[in-house]
């Protein structure tokens, strides 16, 4: 275990209103299911059941990203520590903070850890475990949406902002541009961004990772219907949809969709919406962009960030990069 400075503390700051999640779900459903094509953002997969299913997905033989990223973290954490000299670690979408431990162990000079997540219960659960294992680490948890403007607590620099899991691929190009610009705005000279990006590879390997033989990803995809049924009193029949995963070679991303197997009418009373779905009509539930180093470097540069380090796993499936403020 890494030695950390004394004076441990734990703070939780909420920047989301108590009803923000419900309001965002209503807005996303109204916007997405009245558009053409119909869409839903992937963040609504992750209720307790969805989070459990995703944890199962990460252990499936077809799903390589989690293993590939962990391989890089284990091998390169000391280099990341040496390159950044970080005294504060900020993790966007921290969840259980499981992978972060590789960095905590490699950063003996670390003073503070700032996990950011929309779920206060997830933050408090992770904090209990982390404080037991890192009793001298100051934790400043933020209950916040990392896709919106963030105000970070006053903690020592340099800061290392971490965005792992290839989650940036779930953002559309314009959203990625806005997100990276917002990250840049958080950083002071001498701060860094550690970014995980899934890489372009063979189509069959990509599709298999999102359409596993055991059907766990299909259940995960359909879980968004259960979320709407519970939270918005909708009457979706998950059995009336099939899971679809396909590779868009032009956009270089995977799309997950739910395809209606018959003509159906779905009522969503909480948002006063009736949705007509024809047999074969699809709802896009996730985009997962895949990257090349040149593209990552270009997008970072456009946001005012300069790529300084780049690593992949041994098979070249996943990329981890460090960047800092340009100029």
């Amino acid at each position: 275990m890494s030695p950390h400075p004394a004076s441990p503390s734990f703070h939780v700051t909420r920047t989301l209103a108590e009803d923000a999640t419900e309001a965002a779900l209503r807005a996303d459903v109204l916007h997405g299911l009245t558009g053409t094509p119909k869409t839903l953002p992937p963040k609504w997969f992750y209720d307790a059941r969805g989070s459990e299913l995703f944890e199962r997905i990460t252990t499936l033989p077809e799903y390589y990203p989690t293993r590939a990223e962990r391989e890089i973290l284990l091998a390169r954490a000391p280099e990341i520590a040496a390159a950044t000299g970080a005294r504060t670690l900020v993790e966007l979408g921290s969840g259980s903070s499981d992978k972060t431990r590789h960095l905590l162990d490699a950063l003996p000079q670390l003073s503070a850890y700032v996990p950011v997540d929309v779920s206060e219960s997830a933050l408090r659960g992770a904090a209990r475990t982390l404080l037991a294992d890192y009793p001298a680490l100051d934790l400043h948890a933020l209950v916040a949406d990392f896709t919106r403007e963030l105000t970070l607590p006053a903690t020592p620099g340099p800061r290392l902002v971490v965005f792992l899991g290839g989650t940036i691929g779930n953002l559309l190009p314009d959203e990625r541009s806005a997100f990276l610009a917002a990250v840049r705005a958080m950083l002071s000279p001498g701060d860094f961004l550690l970014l995980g990006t899934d890489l372009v590879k063979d189509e069959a390997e990509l599709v298999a990772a999102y359409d596993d033989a055991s059907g766990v990803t299909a259940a995960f995809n359909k879980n968004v219907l259960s979320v709407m049924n519970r939270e918005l009193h909708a009457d979706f029949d998950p059995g009336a949809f099939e899971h679809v995963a396909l590779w868009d070679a032009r956009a270089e991303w995977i799309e997950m969709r739910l395809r209606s197997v018959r003509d159906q009418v779905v009522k969503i009373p909480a948002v006063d919406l009736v949705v007509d779905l024809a047999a074969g009509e699809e709802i896009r539930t996730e985009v997962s962009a895949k990257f090349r180093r040149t593209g990552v470097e270009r997008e970072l540069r456009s946001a005012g960030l300069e790529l300084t380090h780049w690593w992949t796993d041994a098979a070249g499936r996943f990329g981890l990069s460090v960047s800092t403020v340009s100029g």
Side-chain angles (χ1 to χ4, degrees):
M1 209 66 66
S2 302
H4 294 288
S7 306
S9 61
F10 175 54
H11 309 278
V12 177
T13 302
R14 171 178 281 277
T15 63
L16 283 178
E18 292 289 347
D19 63 349
T21 300
E22 180 183 350
L25 174 61
R26 289 169 180 255
D28 285 343
V29 168
L30 267 175
H31 175 76
L33 295 186
T34 57
T36 304
K38 294 179 172 63
T39 62
L40 290 168
K43 63 183 176 182
W44 301 117
F45 291 138
Y46 295 95
D47 63 350
R49 172 62 174 159
S51 296
E52 175 193 338
L53 287 167
F54 184 71
E55 287 302 313
R56 288 174 58 192
I57 287 170
T58 64
T59 67
L60 294 171
E62 297 98 330
Y63 194 80
Y64 60 85
T66 303
R67 291 188 297 275
E69 186 177 55
R70 183 174 285 114
E71 176 189 324
I72 306 168
L73 282 171
L74 285 169
R76 303 298 184 174
E79 294 175 59
I80 295 167
T84 64
R87 296 189 63 209
T88 294
L89 184 65
V90 180
E91 184 173 11
L92 306 179
S94 56
S96 66
S97 300
D98 179 50
K99 287 180 286 189
T100 320
R101 291 170 173 270
H102 305 314
L103 295 171
L104 295 175
D105 289 338
L107 290 163
Q109 73 278 20
L110 201 69
S111 296
Y113 173 49
V114 183
V116 181
D117 204 274
V118 295
S119 170
E120 183 170 348
S121 61
L123 288 167
R124 290 188 178 277
R128 282 192 294 269
T129 304
L130 288 171
L131 287 173
D133 293 338
Y134 304 87
L137 183 65
D138 286 348
L139 266 75
H140 301 256
L142 292 183
V143 184
D145 183 345
F146 63 75
T147 64
R148 300 179 183 178
E149 184 177 352
L150 289 178
T151 300
L152 297 178
T155 54
R159 290 176 296 183
L160 174 61
V161 176
V162 176
F163 194 37
L164 298 175
T167 307
I168 193 168
N170 294 146
L171 304 177
L172 296 172
D174 287 349
E175 295 169 334
R176 289 202 303 272
S177 178
F179 168 76
L180 290 172
V183 170
R184 165 61 185 88
M186 281 185 230
L187 303 180
S188 300
D191 291 343
F192 297 87
L193 168 65
L194 178 68
L195 181 64
T197 45
D198 197 7
L199 303 180
V200 174
K201 58 187 68 66
D202 177 72
E203 178 178 350
E205 184 177 9
L206 284 166
V207 172
Y210 292 82
D211 192 14
D212 61 279
S214 55
V216 181
T217 311
F220 175 68
N221 195 7
K222 291 183 182 183
N223 188 63
V224 72
L225 304 176
S226 299
V227 170
M228 287 188 288
N229 285 350
R230 183 183 64 248
E231 301 297 331
L232 302 179
H233 314 297
D235 60 357
F236 283 97
D237 173 10
F241 293 84
E242 60 183 2
H243 168 67
V244 177
L246 55 86
W247 170 244
D248 184 328
R250 180 191 58 81
E252 294 194 324
W253 64 40
I254 286 282
E255 286 192 15
M256 290 207 317
R257 302 175 182 176
L258 290 170
R259 179 180 294 155
S260 179
V261 299
R262 55 177 167 79
D263 293 343
Q264 54 182 308
V265 177
V266 178
K267 299 180 181 64
I268 312 177
V271 291
D272 193 26
L273 183 64
V274 175
V275 181
D276 292 304
L277 289 158
E281 188 173 356
E282 297 174 338
I283 303 170
R284 188 181 73 195
T285 53
E286 181 175 278
V287 161
S288 185
K290 308 307 171 186
F291 298 88
R292 305 175 190 270
R293 174 175 176 165
T294 53
V296 173
E297 196 161 4
R298 181 175 62 252
E299 292 194 31
L300 290 169
R301 189 183 306 113
S302 294
L305 296 165
E306 179 184 355
L307 189 147
T308 60
H309 296 77
W310 173 268
W311 303 282
T312 69
D313 61 299
R317 299 169 297 178
F318 199 92
L320 204 61
S321 63
V322 171
S323 58
T324 190
V325 177
S326 300

